Amino acid sequence: AVPDVLITAVGTKVWKRKGSDGLTWVEDAEWAALLDKCWDLSIARSVASKLRKHYNNDEGMLKVADDGSEHQHRIALIIDKSIQGHVTNAMAEAFSQADMEVRIIISGAGSHRYVDVVPIAAGKEQALQYVRSRHGIPQHLCVAAGDSGNDILMLDGDHPGIVVGNAQGELLHWLVSRAQDDKVLLADSYFADGIMEGLMRHGLY
């Protein structure tokens, strides 16, 4: 089956299926306009640029993967895990001084981390709720599934969640650290099989 909607770029893009062939996608202009209201790309670029200069443009320590050229409501960095604390603190302070609210989302494993900075109104959970409300889907029938740290906010929403068996360690750590209930399930199976297993255990398939 072909989906009616796609959410991409850490919840900063919503795409609607359109066209007679059913395979043409157009960006949801209303969602983009909502994000425009609370986002200044020039400020976000300036914050990223200052951090890059702080680390002497050493891409092994900090690389700007997307300065907003690919996705206008997101700044994406790849950083050495040893500087994660400094980078997130410096970003939080810089955006606070600029009076701009953002979400700083960390994910990844191994020696480096991915850092996504998005408008406070954006994110996977926010985009999911936007799509859910537009399509009239009840909260209890809206299910989130994930495998990495940038899925935490979405999985922590007020709806069922599924952590697939191939999830990264950061997500598994979050799962075992939260209050244990039946809202978010850990599947034994990997990838799409894990999603199907989770849907069955939630009684939705």
Side-chain angles (χ1 to χ4, degrees):
V2 179
D4 293 315
V5 180
L6 293 175
I7 296 171
T8 65
V10 204
T12 61
K13 295 277 191 180
V14 173
W15 302 90
K16 300 184 293 185
R17 184 160 55 89
K18 188 179 180 180
S20 58
D21 61 359
L23 296 175
T24 300
W25 297 90
V26 295
E27 186 173 357
D28 188 313
E30 185 176 351
W31 178 246
L34 286 172
L35 301 189
D36 280 339
K37 294 178 181 178
C38 56
W39 180 249
D40 188 325
L41 181 56
S42 64
I43 291 175
R45 282 175 169 168
S46 176
V47 171
S49 178
K50 289 176 181 177
L51 277 169
R52 183 173 54 197
K53 290 177 182 177
H54 178 83
Y55 290 101
N56 300 313
N57 296 312
D58 180 354
E59 292 193 345
M61 293 298 287
L62 185 150
K63 178 181 179 180
V64 179
D66 179 17
D67 68 350
S69 298
E70 181 180 3
H71 301 296
Q72 72 269 30
H73 297 114
R74 182 194 74 171
I75 294 289
L77 309 178
I78 302 173
I79 65 170
D80 187 282
K81 69 176 182 180
S82 67
I83 64 172
Q84 177 180 331
H86 172 260
V87 169
T88 53
N89 289 337
M91 279 188 159
E93 182 177 355
F95 283 113
S96 177
Q97 290 177 352
D99 196 27
M100 181 171 158
E101 288 188 280
V102 300
R103 296 186 190 278
I104 301 173
I105 303 167
I106 308 293
S107 61
S111 62
H112 286 74
R113 297 290 181 269
Y114 298 101
V115 182
D116 292 297
V117 183
V118 303
I120 192 66
K124 292 185 179 181
E125 172 64 11
Q126 288 67 31
L128 183 64
Q129 291 299 330
Y130 171 83
V131 171
R132 183 191 66 77
S133 65
R134 291 302 184 276
H135 286 260
I137 300 170
Q139 191 80 274
H140 71 282
L141 295 180
C142 180
V143 182
D147 65 356
S148 73
N150 67 15
D151 295 317
I152 288 174
L153 291 175
M154 175 178 66
L155 288 164
D156 205 30
D158 189 22
H159 47 72
I162 302 164
V163 174
V164 292
N166 57 292
Q168 295 178 0
E170 59 192 350
L171 183 55
L172 294 174
H173 176 74
W174 168 81
L175 181 62
V176 299
S177 299
R178 68 184 297 277
Q180 299 302 296
D181 53 34
D182 293 330
K183 188 177 81 68
V184 183
L185 302 177
L186 174 61
D188 293 319
S189 303
Y190 288 14
F191 305 109
D193 287 340
I195 296 174
M196 297 305 296
E197 176 191 333
L199 289 173
M200 286 188 287
R201 288 170 59 188
H202 276 303
L204 297 173
Y205 176 75

